[in-house]
Amino acid sequence: MNTKPKQNDNFKNVLPYLVLGFVVIIVIFALNMQGTKVNELTTGELITELKENNVTEITVTPKSNESIYYIEGKLEGYSATESFTAKAVGTELDNILALIEENDVAEYDTNADPGENMLLYVLVNVLPLVLLVVVMYFLFMKLANSNKNSMDFGRSKARLSNENDKKSFKDVAGLKEEKEEVEELIDFLKNPKKFEKMGARIPKGVLLVGPPGTGKTLLAKAIAGEANVPFFFISGSDFVELFVGVGASRVRDMFKEAKRNAPCLIFIDEIDAVGRQRGTGLGGGHDEREQTLNQLLTEMDGFGENEGIIIIAATNRPDVLDPALLRPGRFDRQVTVSLPDANEREQILKVHAKNKVLAKDVKLDNLSLRTPGFSGADLENLLNEAALLAVRRNKNEITMDEIDEATDRVLLGPAKTTRKITDKEKKLVSIHEAGHAVIGLKLEDAQEVHKITIIPRGMAGGYTMMLPKEEKIAVLTKDELLAQITGLLGGRVSEEMFLGEISTGASDDIKRATKIARSMVTEYGMSDLGPVQYEEKSEGVFLGRDYAKSKNFSDQVALEIDEQTRKIIEECYDKAKKIIKENKELIFQLSDALMQYETITKEQIESIVKTGKIKHAEEESEVSETKNDNETTEKKSSRGRKPKATDAEEEK
């Protein structure tokens, strides 16, 4: 399918070199022609030269349909590039031929009539002319195509979806509410008269809003597949161009093409690239981008009507879009495509696990509970990483070991197993992570501890995986936020209390804790300053994040905000100290287990909390103790003493 255009491109690339070679040959031939000298002799002069035996070479060529013979050759004293020509008619040729035989000319030849050989005639007389015409034709065609392409920059870059790439709602796992929101569009495209009869106007535009990787593009493809209508897709950045007015021209051309294929869908991905607010920024707006946006606004809802054209756009930054783009009549409906919950994650995992070879111990329902906050793209990447690890380890199926490792790789990056760590650094990291874990285990509103490791990953020397006890909507109470801050400070407290020093390992923890505390004061109204919002996240279109927050308070209030933030941090720090001090023994038990095994799971952590030892290590110690007791009993029995009951027997 793509072979022919590629061959044409190769020919166009080689064509200039062929033309250059042809010109070089012509130049060389012309130079050679300039160096030759041809003397024209009359018949009498030729006969005289033959009689004097001065002719060294002679060739006779008859002319077709005429009684004229062309004679050419060389005389004595001629240079290598010098020759003579003569003509003979009728009886003159007989005299010349007789003299040639009489004088026995060394090199004598007679050519055939060129008119008798049509192929030779064509090669000599016609072929050069044909080649010249073909070369000139290709040169002019290439010039015309280049001029045509140079004027195509105003054409739309929207591409029509391939028939083989059609999707349906069956291919989109989860997103139940989102599918219900867009079913009206599908029904309208299939049966528009039903809506016209009721006087209903279908939304002209649907804006899909949500975090990256949640399936916005896939949902748009499924809408087009369900409706079975043409589906044009384009990125917002494809409108932006160096030349002013090109973006607007592409918008006009896109809608012109869509009208020809109506009813149809137009999908604009990352619309914030072209739909940002106008007239903002330090230096004003961007003329090209604003002209493109103005043309898009006009095409969606202007003087002209675009019947049967529905626009679907996707973005994860709805806050920066121009208000005119979001008003009724343009993007009438906003559909929030949020992160999947546990049930939806299980459905997504089943879709991506269809072509994977999973072991029996891999339970997708359990895996969905362990991956809160994962998007659909994250889950697909998780299973793909697990499959790659299984291949790397020469396994025939994907086990939970690969799933666990893949989860860590997705969250923090690959493990740095070859990195050499000193015992002192290892002890520090184990104490630090044990501090986080103890807060999670003993604080009521804290998150649940699922895993602790001191294996370095990414920029972290170790980490404690803490997940919510139950999945909730994005609403957190004050106690839960304070528990998060306390848990983040647990590592620093543990270092200070048991090692007598502090390290840079808690820098990210302190940063996150401070951010939560400041948000509680300035945004959530959870401090002594009352339910007042002092800062608002309103990132400018062209401004950096340092200018992102609007601050509507005085310097005095700014001081009070800092004091309240510090107060929250200090209270949580003191609470962390109290909890860790009360659970000193548990800290060292977790630290010792980490020093020995480097990674401990939820079941092993629970075993340490209950018994002070890891489960399998406890079983080994019980077996060894029973064995020793039995040996002691046998020795005492051999001495005639009554055997003492073992601990296990006493329990029985």
Side-chain angles (χ1 to χ4, degrees):
M1 183 176 178
N2 297 327
T3 305
K4 189 173 180 181
K6 188 175 182 180
Q7 291 177 349
N8 292 336
D9 293 340
N10 293 335
F11 180 75
K12 290 180 180 180
N13 294 331
V14 175
L15 183 60
Y17 298 101
L18 294 176
V19 174
L20 179 61
F22 183 72
V23 172
V24 170
I25 293 173
I26 293 177
V27 171
I28 294 175
F29 180 74
L31 292 175
N32 291 333
M33 290 296 294
Q34 291 179 359
T36 59
K37 182 180 180 182
V38 180
N39 299 319
E40 294 186 4
L41 301 180
T42 63
T43 307
E45 291 175 342
L46 177 59
I47 292 174
T48 301
E49 295 292 344
L50 285 169
K51 288 179 179 180
E52 295 178 356
N53 201 16
N54 292 333
V55 179
T56 58
E57 297 179 13
I58 190 167
T59 302
V60 179
T61 304
K63 181 69 175 177
S64 61
N65 302 327
E66 297 181 15
S67 58
I68 300 176
Y69 295 84
Y70 290 92
I71 303 171
E72 57 183 6
K74 289 188 177 183
L75 301 178
E76 289 186 357
Y78 275 14
S79 63
T81 59
E82 190 175 3
S83 63
F84 71 84
T85 60
K87 294 180 181 180
V89 182
T91 57
E92 295 178 350
L93 180 63
D94 296 335
N95 296 332
I96 292 173
L97 294 176
L99 290 171
I100 291 173
E101 292 179 0
E102 181 181 346
N103 295 327
D104 192 15
V105 178
E107 295 185 16
Y108 167 62
D109 191 16
T110 302
N111 289 334
D113 185 359
E116 296 176 359
N117 191 340
M118 291 301 296
L119 179 61
L120 180 63
Y121 180 79
V122 170
L123 290 175
V124 174
N125 297 284
V126 179
L127 184 60
L129 181 61
V130 172
L131 288 176
L132 183 61
V133 171
V134 170
V135 169
M136 295 300 295
Y137 171 78
F138 277 107
L139 286 176
F140 280 114
M141 286 298 296
K142 186 174 182 180
L143 181 62
N145 288 334
S146 63
N147 290 335
K148 182 180 178 181
N149 293 334
S150 64
M151 299 303 294
D152 279 350
F153 56 80
R155 297 289 301 275
S156 170
K157 291 188 177 182
R159 298 176 295 279
L160 189 62
S161 178
N162 193 352
E163 290 289 332
N164 299 327
D165 195 31
K166 277 191 174 182
K167 301 291 183 181
S168 65
F169 281 162
K170 295 180 181 179
D171 301 313
V172 183
L175 303 181
K176 182 179 178 180
E177 292 81 6
E178 290 80 356
K179 292 176 184 176
E180 293 175 355
E181 285 292 324
V182 297
E183 278 182 355
E184 289 180 1
L185 306 180
I186 300 170
D187 197 13
F188 170 77
L189 292 171
K190 288 182 177 180
N191 189 12
K193 292 183 179 179
K194 181 172 67 173
F195 290 85
E196 294 173 359
K197 183 179 179 180
M198 295 298 296
R201 178 182 61 82
I202 202 69
K204 293 185 178 181
V206 177
L207 183 65
L208 303 179
V209 179
T214 50
K216 298 185 290 295
T217 304
L218 183 61
L219 181 61
K221 286 184 179 181
I223 294 171
E226 291 287 339
N228 196 23
V229 295
F231 178 69
F232 293 91
F233 59 95
I234 189 173
S235 173
S237 60
D238 287 336
F239 293 110
V240 182
E241 193 59 70
L242 174 65
F243 306 103
V244 177
V246 173
S249 175
R250 289 177 178 174
V251 172
R252 288 191 295 269
D253 187 70
M254 180 181 68
F255 278 89
K256 181 180 178 182
E257 187 68 22
K259 290 176 183 177
R260 295 174 184 171
N261 294 273
C264 67
L265 286 171
I266 298 176
F267 177 64
I268 305 177
D269 198 9
E270 304 296 342
I271 194 173
D272 52 277
V274 70
R276 287 176 174 248
Q277 297 179 20
R278 294 167 290 180
T280 55
L282 293 175
H286 186 283
D287 290 339
E288 165 61 8
R289 184 186 54 77
E290 290 193 359
Q291 287 189 21
T292 306
L293 176 58
N294 290 335
Q295 187 63 45
L296 181 62
L297 296 174
T298 303
E299 292 290 345
M300 289 187 69
D301 187 26
F303 287 103
E305 292 291 335
N306 292 319
E307 295 294 337
I309 300 176
I310 296 178
I311 300 176
I312 302 176
T315 181
N316 49 27
R317 292 295 308 277
D319 54 309
V320 302
L321 296 180
D322 194 272
L325 197 63
L326 303 177
R327 74 160 174 81
R330 292 192 175 118
F331 283 106
D332 304 84
R333 184 174 297 177
Q334 291 190 27
V335 178
T336 302
V337 185
S338 55
L339 292 171
D341 58 18
N343 294 329
E344 291 174 334
R345 288 196 299 272
E346 183 179 354
Q347 296 175 24
I348 294 171
L349 287 169
K350 288 180 179 179
V351 170
H352 294 303
K354 286 181 179 179
N355 61 341
K356 305 289 192 304
V357 182
L358 300 178
K360 294 181 179 179
D361 63 336
V362 178
K363 306 296 182 183
L364 296 181
D365 53 346
N366 293 335
L367 182 58
S368 66
L369 296 175
R370 295 173 53 186
T371 53
F374 276 52
S375 65
D378 292 331
L379 295 172
E380 189 276 335
N381 187 35
L382 171 63
L383 291 181
N384 184 63
E385 287 288 342
L388 293 175
L389 287 170
V391 174
R392 189 181 304 172
R393 296 173 179 177
N394 296 321
K395 291 188 175 182
N396 296 325
E397 55 187 8
I398 303 171
T399 65
M400 279 305 299
D401 290 338
E402 284 74 42
I403 296 290
D404 290 336
E405 176 65 19
T407 304
D408 295 339
R409 290 172 69 92
V410 171
L411 291 174
L412 296 171
K416 298 181 179 179
T417 55
T418 58
R419 179 180 173 184
K420 187 177 180 181
I421 306 175
T422 63
D423 292 338
K424 181 180 179 181
E425 184 180 4
K426 196 173 181 180
K427 184 66 175 178
L428 187 147
V429 176
S430 65
I431 290 291
H432 180 99
E433 299 303 332
H436 288 307
V438 166
I439 300 296
L441 292 168
K442 298 300 180 179
L443 191 59
E444 182 179 355
D445 294 313
Q447 294 180 332
E448 192 173 19
V449 181
H450 279 254
K451 185 179 181 180
I452 314 173
T453 180
I454 59 172
I455 298 175
R457 289 182 181 272
M459 300 299 294
Y463 77 97
T464 301
M465 180 186 290
M466 301 176 68
L467 302 176
K469 295 177 181 177
E470 56 183 8
E471 202 155 345
K472 302 170 59 177
I473 307 175
V475 176
L476 295 173
T477 64
K478 181 179 179 180
D479 290 339
E480 289 172 340
L481 291 173
L482 292 174
Q484 286 188 19
I485 298 174
T486 306
L488 290 169
L489 297 175
R492 166 59 67 87
V493 172
S494 184
E495 290 179 15
E496 182 180 4
M497 188 173 295
F498 301 118
L499 298 178
E501 59 181 353
I502 56 178
S503 69
T504 59
S507 59
D508 186 63
D509 298 331
I510 296 173
K511 176 182 176 182
R512 292 163 59 190
T514 305
K515 184 177 180 181
I516 295 173
R518 187 170 184 87
S519 297
M520 291 176 64
V521 176
T522 60
E523 297 179 34
Y524 309 144
M526 296 179 178
S527 69
D528 295 340
L529 295 181
V532 180
Q533 187 179 47
Y534 294 101
E535 291 180 348
E536 181 181 0
K537 292 181 180 179
S538 58
E539 296 185 4
V541 181
F542 298 103
L543 299 180
R545 295 184 183 272
D546 293 338
Y547 300 91
K549 293 185 177 180
S550 58
K551 301 178 180 180
N552 301 318
F553 49 81
S554 64
D555 293 340
Q556 179 63 32
V557 174
L559 178 61
E560 294 178 4
I561 290 174
D562 294 338
E563 291 176 349
Q564 289 296 317
T565 303
R566 186 180 297 107
K567 179 182 177 182
I568 293 174
I569 296 292
E570 290 176 350
E571 289 177 353
C572 293
Y573 198 83
D574 293 337
K575 184 183 293 185
K577 277 185 176 181
K578 180 181 178 182
I579 295 173
I580 290 176
K581 186 176 181 180
E582 293 173 353
N583 296 275
K584 177 180 178 180
E585 184 178 355
L586 181 57
I587 290 285
F588 285 107
Q589 289 172 350
L590 292 172
S591 176
D592 292 340
L594 288 171
M595 290 288 289
Q596 183 177 359
Y597 301 104
E598 293 187 339
T599 300
I600 53 178
T601 60
K602 179 183 177 182
E603 293 77 12
Q604 294 171 333
I605 295 170
E606 291 175 351
S607 176
I608 293 174
V609 173
K610 292 179 181 179
T611 64
K613 298 178 182 179
I614 290 182
K615 188 175 182 180
H616 60 267
E618 179 187 6
E619 292 174 352
E620 292 176 359
S621 63
E622 286 180 358
V623 171
S624 62
E625 288 175 4
T626 305
K627 184 177 180 181
N628 293 333
D629 290 341
N630 291 334
E631 291 177 356
T632 305
T633 302
E634 291 176 0
K635 290 180 181 180
K636 291 181 178 180
S637 298
S638 63
R639 296 175 183 175
R641 296 179 182 176
K642 185 179 178 180
K644 184 180 178 181
T646 61
D647 294 339
E649 292 175 345
E650 289 178 354
E651 290 178 359
K652 289 181 181 179

